[in-house]
């Protein structure tokens, strides 16, 4: 999961993840005499990536999307807690029972998080029109415009179709 999260921070994450990651492996890099990570995708293709590019300072669009995830985290937590309270911690894909430590809330049944977020970004005038608070850690910034934050919360609540997957199932999902 660490490599999956790391890959999500790559500047070309969408292109690198493609249809979803099956697993990772370590390979000899094309340049130099060292080894690096490679993602083996669910379609069998392989994509090498630089972990150093993943660790570079995030771009403003990456920071905005991370802030958007932070902003709606209470909605995601409420969904999980409701499923837990109703004793339905089962994968919505496979029907397999899930241990609380193996549960991932996912957007696999409806529009992707990226698509829901981009609706609001476009309506706001693009990424550059969205100002963020200072962040103490990667992804912990918030919108400075709280009216925009409220519109984002409402839009996410209306359009997100959440479901539960195991960590392995979620790893295989395409993400942006």
């Amino acid at each position: 999961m660490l490599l999956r999260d790391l890959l999500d921070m790559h500047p070309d994450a969408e292109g690198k993840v493609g249809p979803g990651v099956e697993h990772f492996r370590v390979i000899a890099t094309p340049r130099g005499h060292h080894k690096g990570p490679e993602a083996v995708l669910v379609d069998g293709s392989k994509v090498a990536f630089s972990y150093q590019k993943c660790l570079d300072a995030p771009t403003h669009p990456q920071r905005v999307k991370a802030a958007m995830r932070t902003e709606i985290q209470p909605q995601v937590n409420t969904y999980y807690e409701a499923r837990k309270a109703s004793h339905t911690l089962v994968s919505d894909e496979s029907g397999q029972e899930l241990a609380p430590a193996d549960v991932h809330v996912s957007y696999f049944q409806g529009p992707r998080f990226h698509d829901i977020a981009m609706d609001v970004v476009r309506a706001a005038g693009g990424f550059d029109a969205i100002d963020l608070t200072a962040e103490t850690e990667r992804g912990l910034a918030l919108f400075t415009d709280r009216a925009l934050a409220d519109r984002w919360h409402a839009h996410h609540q209306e359009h997100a179709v959440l479901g539960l997957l195991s960590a392995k199932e979620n790893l295989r999902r395409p993400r942006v």
Side-chain angles (χ1 to χ4, degrees):
M1 293 312 297
L2 174 67
L3 285 175
R4 185 61 175 96
D5 289 343
L6 184 66
L7 184 55
D8 280 344
M9 296 184 325
H10 192 282
D12 185 30
E14 184 174 2
K16 296 286 184 183
V17 172
V21 177
E22 176 66 34
H23 63 275
F24 292 94
R25 61 188 200 147
V26 177
I27 61 165
T29 59
R31 289 182 256 175
H33 300 289
H34 58 280
K35 296 183 178 192
E38 177 181 71
V40 179
L41 306 182
V42 295
D43 66 3
S45 61
K46 298 173 179 88
V47 179
F49 65 97
S50 166
Y51 71 87
Q52 291 173 329
K53 279 190 179 180
C54 299
L55 296 174
D56 286 344
T59 64
H60 185 67
Q62 288 172 322
R63 289 183 64 238
V64 169
K65 285 196 267 183
M68 293 177 96
R69 286 190 185 279
T70 301
E71 289 278 359
I72 55 85
Q73 192 60 49
Q75 289 180 22
V76 173
N77 293 347
T78 298
Y79 175 80
Y80 169 78
E81 291 300 330
R83 291 285 299 262
K84 184 177 174 185
S86 66
H87 305 289
T88 57
L89 289 184
V90 296
S91 166
D92 292 319
E93 185 173 72
S94 67
Q96 156 193 356
E97 283 192 45
L98 301 171
D102 189 38
V103 174
H104 284 221
V105 177
S106 177
Y107 294 81
F108 79 100
Q109 297 174 326
R112 300 177 307 162
F113 173 86
H114 174 81
D115 298 328
I116 299 167
M118 288 307 297
D119 290 342
V120 172
V121 168
R122 281 189 290 277
F127 285 109
D128 290 337
I130 300 174
D131 292 323
L132 302 175
T133 62
E135 52 191 289
T136 56
E137 295 180 36
R138 186 183 294 261
L140 294 182
L142 298 172
F143 290 176
T144 56
D145 180 343
R146 299 316 299 162
L148 177 59
D150 291 342
R151 289 193 302 275
W152 165 234
H153 297 167
H155 185 79
H156 182 268
Q157 185 72 42
E158 181 181 346
H159 296 283
V161 180
L162 302 176
L164 300 182
L165 297 176
S166 70
K168 187 174 183 177
E169 290 168 332
N170 197 41
L171 177 68
R172 293 180 175 162
R173 305 298 311 164
R175 293 190 333 211
V176 178

